[in-house]
Amino acid sequence: ESSPHLPAPNDVMVYSYNFRSLLKWSPVEVDRGLVLYTVHFKTGAFNEWDEMNCTRITQTECSFPWSLKQRRWTIVLRVRAELGQVTSDWVETDPFVAERNTIIGPPKVNSVNASSNSLLISVTPPFGSEVGDFLEYHVSYWENATSTAKKETRTSSTLFKIENLKEMTLYCFRIQVELTTYSDLQLLGLESAPECHRTTIS
């Protein structure tokens, strides 16, 4: 039975990074007693509320279980506060679709090998790809010493070269991932922090 005396959780939002998703909310403050929280979900295909692995928990966040890892599913979540027998109203999220709403992080730069006229860069993608994914790396690079315009190159390989560089020169680069899914959705990821390396002498 919902009660006007127990406020519902605020700031309820889904946070999703590299397709790992969780629901977060602000704690409900009460004078005495321990507030617990329960989270339910339903999918676009099956319009019935179901329990997640978060029933009467003390934390103010709830990770999505493996059963909800389908990127294309539309998922709605709801959370309420509970204090003894008293419960708050449910608070529902907007529909969430990981394939549209996740934030894609930058790739990990594993190694950079400099020669006199190129940098050979090895990266690891930010998440495990699924069938039908096409990943492209957008690389922007520039000479550190001058304010010359950035140059750009694109590649779908995790090992690639930035070529036609000057020798003994410090170059910086940033990389971001563009994901094209099998349903032709395009997601552009966050850029990596700039990394700088000096070419060698020939």
Side-chain angles (χ1 to χ4, degrees):
E1 194 58 25
S2 79
S3 156
H5 305 307
L6 188 60
N10 280 323
D11 308 317
V12 178
M13 64 171 290
V14 175
Y15 179 77
S16 183
Y17 189 76
N18 290 336
F19 298 106
R20 287 196 292 275
S21 308
L22 52 83
L23 184 69
K24 289 185 160 188
W25 57 91
S26 296
V28 172
E29 306 289 349
V30 292
D31 291 336
R32 58 174 54 155
L34 179 63
V35 177
L36 302 174
Y37 304 95
T38 292
V39 179
H40 289 172
F41 76 94
K42 64 181 178 182
T43 62
F46 193 64
N47 197 18
E48 293 272 327
W49 290 109
D50 202 352
E51 291 195 349
M52 281 179 49
N53 47 355
C54 299
T55 299
R56 298 180 67 77
I57 59 170
T58 54
Q59 307 93 293
T60 55
E61 61 180 50
C62 173
S63 295
F64 283 31
W66 276 107
S67 57
L68 293 184
K69 287 288 189 268
Q70 295 292 339
R71 294 187 195 165
R72 297 174 195 101
W73 285 5
T74 300
I75 297 166
V76 178
L77 300 142
R78 68 179 186 180
V79 59
R80 75 177 181 190
E82 305 178 12
L83 183 62
Q85 298 303 306
V86 181
T87 61
S88 74
D89 290 332
W90 289 102
V91 181
E92 270 186 44
T93 64
D94 291 330
F96 169 80
V97 181
E99 195 172 65
R100 297 172 188 273
N101 303 128
T102 199
I103 295 167
I104 293 180
K108 176 176 180 280
V109 177
N110 300 318
S111 62
V112 179
N113 288 326
S115 71
S116 60
N117 63 353
S118 69
L119 296 176
L120 178 66
I121 301 169
S122 161
V123 298
T124 301
F127 54 87
S129 56
E130 290 191 353
V131 175
D133 283 354
F134 176 70
L135 278 183
E136 192 172 52
Y137 299 94
H138 295 215
V139 186
S140 58
Y141 60 98
W142 62 95
E143 270 183 59
N144 191 44
T146 63
S147 56
T148 48
K150 290 183 180 180
K151 294 182 177 174
E152 300 225 340
T153 180
R154 293 181 174 205
T155 175
S156 56
S157 172
T158 55
L159 182 66
F160 55 86
K161 261 185 184 177
I162 301 176
E163 299 188 280
N164 302 319
L165 305 181
K166 299 177 191 169
E167 64 180 14
M168 292 295 290
T169 304
L170 190 62
Y171 284 91
C172 303
F173 63 85
R174 303 177 74 132
I175 310 173
Q176 66 188 139
V177 172
E178 183 176 43
L179 166 67
T180 305
T181 66
Y182 96 121
S183 49
D184 272 349
L185 274 171
Q186 287 183 313
L187 282 172
L188 196 57
L190 303 174
E191 277 194 314
S192 62
E195 199 169 309
C196 302
H197 294 265
R198 188 176 297 279
T199 51
T200 59
I201 195 160
S202 56

